[in-house]
Amino acid sequence: FLDIENFTTMSESMEPQEVVSIINTYFDALARVIMEHGGTVDKFEGDAIMALFGAPLSMEDHALAACTAALALREKMTELNTAGAAGLNICIGIATGDAVVGNMGSQDRFDYTAMGDTVNTASRLEGGNKFYGTRTLVSGGTIGSKDGAAQAAFVFRRVDRVRLKGKTEAIDIYEIMGPKAGLSKKGAGVLEAWHQALEYYRNQKWDEAEARVREVLKAMPEDGPAKAYLKRIAWLRENPLQGWDGTWGFERK
């Protein structure tokens, strides 16, 4: 799932023709990127795009293709904004797993689409970016896809273990950081500090967790997840959770 950030708010001050012109400019460019990477544009919903990788045509490396497309989509947004478009950003959610795919609807009107928990998770991950200040969140299924191609090609960092609204099972969620080939020694050190912070956090060792998070912020001052965790750690210090296993529950989408 892909959503153009804050487009609804921006469009409130525009004439309808201008809104249509801007959304069509972005959608045309973004849809082309998706298709160039083997994806199928399933539908446009307001300022969002739903895309499938691995359907209707089978695709062995669908997780890799989806992650590659996500980074290419972000590059395309930079290109569009540099060329004088509306200066917008996108948030992306990717989930990999089983889904029911086919023609769905009424006898008189139907669409080819996908349904199921994997689809719902991708949608929730797209929306979850706003809680962490991230741009692209992916599910554990994407990291652990059968061919392992996505994990071999990209650097991911674990962002959280969450229980999404309306769901009973917790899942691990990750952020795509970039290609593995571009990871520097300094970057690897920052990534290690981040994952250490998560372990201290899970074990409720707040001082150690905060120290590691601040290490990350020294290297990446605008890092959204680090800022989010500082606020969360401060809250948990004042509101300890008995029997807590490190899972964070979301009360809203």
Side-chain angles (χ1 to χ4, degrees):
F1 276 84
L2 174 159
D3 181 81
I4 299 179
E5 190 177 39
N6 297 324
F7 184 78
T8 301
T9 301
M10 186 187 76
S11 65
E12 291 175 352
S13 60
M14 295 179 178
E15 293 297 321
Q17 297 89 337
E18 188 179 3
V19 173
V20 171
S21 176
I22 291 173
I23 200 72
N24 283 347
T25 297
Y26 279 96
F27 275 1
D28 180 67
L30 298 177
R32 288 177 185 273
V33 172
I34 291 168
M35 291 185 287
E36 286 169 0
H37 289 82
T40 298
V41 175
D42 182 82
K43 60 172 65 72
F44 301 103
E45 295 181 330
D47 55 3
I49 299 176
M50 175 181 170
L52 310 176
F53 290 80
L57 299 178
S58 179
M59 205 176 181
E60 289 297 323
D61 58 350
H62 48 81
L64 173 63
C67 292
T68 304
L71 294 184
L73 286 164
R74 285 160 51 178
E75 290 178 3
K76 177 58 69 173
M77 289 297 291
T78 300
E79 180 184 317
L80 289 169
N81 292 333
T82 301
L88 298 169
N89 287 310
I90 55 173
C91 291
I92 301 170
I94 301 172
T96 303
D98 294 331
V100 178
V101 185
N103 292 326
M104 302 178 198
S106 69
Q107 290 184 345
D108 300 319
R109 184 177 177 83
F110 56 84
D111 292 309
Y112 179 87
T113 190
M115 295 180 66
D117 184 64
T118 301
V119 179
N120 293 336
T121 298
S123 178
R124 301 288 178 82
L125 290 178
E126 180 275 308
N129 284 286
K130 62 177 173 283
F131 297 108
Y132 298 101
T134 50
R135 292 290 174 207
T136 306
L137 291 177
V138 306
S139 70
T142 303
I143 306 295
S145 56
K146 291 180 180 179
D147 63 358
Q151 191 170 26
F154 297 108
V155 176
F156 296 92
R157 70 162 161 175
R158 183 181 170 188
V159 173
D160 211 347
R161 182 165 181 79
V162 300
R163 186 173 293 104
L164 299 172
K165 181 175 172 58
K167 297 181 179 293
T168 56
E169 292 187 8
I171 62 169
D172 291 320
I173 60 175
Y174 301 81
E175 179 187 15
I176 304 176
M177 303 301 288
K180 273 192 175 176
L183 182 63
S184 66
K185 184 176 181 180
K186 180 180 178 181
V190 174
L191 195 63
E192 176 63 21
W194 173 258
H195 287 128
Q196 287 176 2
L198 291 190
E199 282 303 305
Y200 284 125
Y201 163 83
R202 183 177 63 84
N203 288 293
Q204 303 184 53
K205 295 182 178 180
W206 308 130
D207 291 345
E208 293 89 341
E210 181 178 337
R212 297 305 189 283
V213 171
R214 292 195 182 279
E215 283 184 33
V216 174
L217 279 172
K218 283 183 181 178
M220 302 188 297
E222 299 304 316
D223 186 57
K227 291 180 178 180
Y229 267 86
L230 283 183
K231 292 179 181 178
R232 191 185 293 181
I233 289 169
W235 186 88
L236 286 167
R237 277 192 172 114
E238 299 296 324
N239 303 273
L241 302 176
Q242 298 300 319
W244 185 57
D245 65 354
T247 300
W248 192 255
F250 280 102
E251 298 302 320
R252 56 193 178 97
K253 296 181 182 178

